[in-house]
Amino acid sequence: MNITARYTGRSGVPYIFEYEDADSFDSLPYEKCAQVYGVCFEGDKLLIGFGGNKKDWGLVGGTVESGETFEETLRREVQEETNREILVCLPLGYQKMTDTRDGTFVYQLRYVCDVRPFGPFIEDPAGGVTKIKLIEPAEYKNYFNWGKIGERMIERSLELKEKL
């Protein structure tokens, strides 16, 4: 499923987001894949984090570091930001984020994950995520609303969760 949306960033930069469901990220150029985030479930609850540049609720994840696989990035970021271990994960989809000023773009990858705590949440060592919360998946729009792209990511994550 392909969904296109326009978004103006906090700095006023206009972007085009093109979301695509994906069962693999193998066809994407590694050097253009900038972010990896997880739609993480702990039991039947959706795990969300508060913080980041926007100081708002959202999914957990972050930037791919040199030499990391996408799954390694996801596992590291989820542990750092939530003190959770990923038991299993599957590719969910990706967004192509294009800067309309110059046409440059990056891919933002999304996974669906089953997680469990290593221990209690203290704080993200990088200071990005300051709180975490487990919510009913149907209530996510009370915390973040990413339009049709967000709706599709949550819908597909619930479908794929049955395979985890």
Side-chain angles (χ1 to χ4, degrees), residues 38-154:
V39 179
C40 299
F41 290 94
E42 189 172 316
D44 290 332
K45 303 287 186 180
L46 177 63
L47 175 66
I48 58 174
F50 182 86
N53 294 335
K54 296 179 183 178
K55 302 290 183 236
D56 205 353
W57 291 100
L59 302 177
V60 294
T63 304
V64 178
E65 292 183 0
S66 180
E68 280 185 324
T69 67
F70 304 136
E71 191 173 319
E72 287 170 342
T73 298
L74 181 65
R75 289 179 182 281
R76 175 182 51 78
E77 289 287 350
V78 168
Q79 182 177 354
E80 288 174 357
E81 294 183 352
T82 69
N83 201 28
R84 297 306 194 262
E85 171 188 22
I86 294 177
L87 301 172
V88 64
C89 63
L90 293 170
L92 178 66
Y94 62 87
Q95 299 185 126
K96 179 181 180 185
M97 183 182 82
T98 304
D99 184 328
T100 61
R101 298 172 301 177
D102 60 11
T104 58
F105 67 91
V106 295
Y107 292 104
Q108 301 172 331
L109 313 183
R110 304 295 184 251
Y111 282 84
V112 60
C113 312
D114 185 21
V115 301
R116 72 173 173 208
F118 280 116
F121 172 75
I122 300 169
E123 185 174 294
D124 174 3
V129 174
T130 57
K131 293 187 269 187
I132 61 171
K133 185 178 278 199
L134 293 168
I135 64 168
E136 293 294 331
E139 296 176 3
Y140 81 93
K141 285 185 182 179
N142 295 335
Y143 298 91
F144 60 93
N145 186 351
W146 297 339
K148 297 227 178 280
I149 291 174
E151 288 173 12
R152 179 58 188 159
M153 285 193 299
I154 298 299

Side-chain angles (χ1 to χ4, degrees), residues 5-17 54 97-98 100 146:
R6 293 189 172 274
Y7 172 76
T8 301
R10 294 178 62 196
S11 63
V13 175
Y15 295 99
I16 296 173
F17 286 91
K54 296 179 183 178
M97 183 182 82
T98 304
T100 61
W146 297 339

Side-chain angles (χ1 to χ4, degrees), residues 44 90 112 156-164:
D44 290 332
L90 293 170
V112 60
R156 181 156 154 75
S157 70
L158 290 168
E159 292 167 5
L160 290 176
K161 183 181 181 308
E162 301 306 314
K163 297 181 182 181
L164 296 178

